[in-house]
Amino acid sequence: MLHLILAALLLVQSSKDVASSPLREANNATQEDVITKVLHYMESNPETLEELMTNDYAVVEGDIVLLNDRNAVKRVWPRREIPFTISPELESRTKVILSAMAMVSEHTCVSFHRRTSERNYLTFFKSKGCASYVGLIGGVQPVYVGPQCMVGNIAHEILHALGFHHEHTRRDRDQYITVLLHNIMEGKERNFKKQSGDTFGLEYDAASIMHYGRGFFSSNGLPTIVSKEEVMNMGQRQKMTDSDVQKVRLLYICDPPKQTGGN
């Protein structure tokens, strides 16, 4: 996306030096096309913006904020009731943030409440894109919300905060998707690396709210991920799938183990 922004800026500058002519009209049309592509990318892939627009090497996979030791981020929250605050600069986005939390809690045992005196809590901050740490890090834990982050994007970040990685980084992903490295922005290949993580024995879910879309980090507008089976909604951010719900319920033990009979 940075490549597109630079191209747009160059086109804007060059148009100032071209006299009124068919060439200028062509340049203006190209300029509008590039700007349209930039805006479309930003709206479609807000979870990549924090990394792309800040050049922050502590952010990977577009929206995952790292601690010094990535492997240290593996803790679930000790309680299913998660405290939170919303930064005053995001007050106008309160309804959207609350809706995202409701999406996560609707079919799970995890709930959210305004923080009183809890030591560990989520705080929603204004940012350029959507981003979060993975799992409990302790203390004030930021969840970053950019202008393009809608309900599903924020729910995606909340699920990161609860302890979930991206679905496309599962170790068994090559059975279900193909990653097209030649279409990925230079230097962003790391965002498609496989990661260790508990799959809970659930099937791979290309429609998961935690799965990348087909054009994430594309350098040329072509797909960076294609599914080996027909999936109409890969990368969707409209709802949590049954698999997403089950993962939360299993990680946070929403369903207590069945008691075996005894004398």
Side-chain angles (χ1 to χ4, degrees), residues 80-82 104-106 108-112 162 248 252 254:
R80 300 166 183 155
E81 300 80 23
I82 313 296
V104 174
S105 63
E106 182 178 8
T108 73
C109 59
V110 175
S111 62
F112 302 87
L162 290 179
V248 176
Y252 283 87
C254 292

Side-chain angles (χ1 to χ4, degrees), residues 225-241:
I225 294 178
V226 293
S227 175
K228 294 185 176 181
E229 296 183 0
E230 185 175 357
V231 178
M232 299 299 296
N233 52 355
M234 186 170 69
Q236 63 83 23
R237 295 295 183 264
Q238 282 73 49
K239 65 177 184 177
M240 290 173 60
T241 64

Side-chain angles (χ1 to χ4, degrees), residues 24-248:
R24 179 177 181 179
E25 292 179 9
N27 281 348
N28 286 340
T30 304
Q31 172 187 329
E32 292 175 2
D33 181 57
V34 172
I35 293 175
T36 298
K37 288 181 179 179
V38 172
L39 293 176
H40 177 72
Y41 184 96
M42 293 175 70
E43 291 174 357
S44 302
N45 308 300
E47 293 151 23
T48 67
L49 299 183
E50 191 67 22
E51 180 179 350
L52 288 173
M53 298 183 74
T54 62
N55 271 334
D56 190 344
Y57 288 97
V59 178
V60 297
E61 297 177 29
D63 66 333
I64 292 178
V65 187
L66 298 179
L67 292 176
N68 291 331
D69 178 6
R70 179 170 186 162
N71 293 325
V73 188
K74 291 184 177 178
R75 290 187 295 167
V76 299
W77 290 69
R79 298 176 61 86
R80 300 166 183 155
E81 300 80 23
I82 313 296
F84 73 92
T85 64
I86 298 175
S87 172
E89 59 188 358
L90 273 181
E91 195 64 34
S92 63
R93 308 287 317 274
T94 296
K95 183 176 180 180
V96 174
I97 294 169
L98 293 178
S99 295
M101 288 188 281
M103 181 184 290
V104 174
S105 63
E106 182 178 8
H107 299 294
T108 73
C109 59
V110 175
S111 62
F112 302 87
H113 64 272
R114 294 275 185 175
R115 180 206 179 221
T116 53
S117 60
E118 295 89 346
R119 177 181 178 275
N120 302 323
Y121 60 98
L122 297 177
T123 295
F124 294 86
F125 286 109
K126 184 178 180 180
S127 189
K128 292 182 173 64
C130 328
S132 174
Y133 289 90
V134 175
L136 173 68
I137 65 172
V140 182
Q141 180 161 335
V143 177
Y144 298 104
V145 179
Q148 285 82 21
C149 303
M150 297 296 103
V151 173
N153 305 117
I154 301 171
H156 175 105
E157 301 308 332
I158 292 171
L159 289 171
H160 276 319
L162 290 179
F164 297 97
H165 281 281
H166 287 127
E167 184 77 355
H168 78 278
T169 64
R170 278 177 51 154
R171 289 287 181 184
D172 61 349
R173 62 105 181 272
D174 291 336
Q175 301 175 45
Y176 308 96
I177 62 170
T178 299
V179 175
L180 304 176
L181 293 173
H182 56 280
N183 291 333
I184 297 173
M185 294 176 185
E186 184 178 356
K188 302 305 178 185
E189 297 85 357
R190 65 175 185 165
N191 296 334
F192 295 81
K193 288 183 178 180
K194 299 174 189 176
Q195 304 292 342
S196 298
D198 192 351
T199 65
F200 301 100
L202 297 173
E203 292 185 3
Y204 189 89
D205 185 5
S208 167
I209 200 171
M210 301 306 290
H211 201 290
Y212 266 14
R214 65 190 298 274
F216 274 43
F217 294 103
S218 175
S219 63
N220 51 20
L222 298 176
T224 53
I225 294 178
V226 293
S227 175
K228 294 185 176 181
E229 296 183 0
E230 185 175 357
V231 178
M232 299 299 296
N233 52 355
M234 186 170 69
Q236 63 83 23
R237 295 295 183 264
Q238 282 73 49
K239 65 177 184 177
M240 290 173 60
T241 64
D242 290 342
S243 176
D244 294 326
V245 170
Q246 285 304 311
K247 288 172 188 173
V248 176

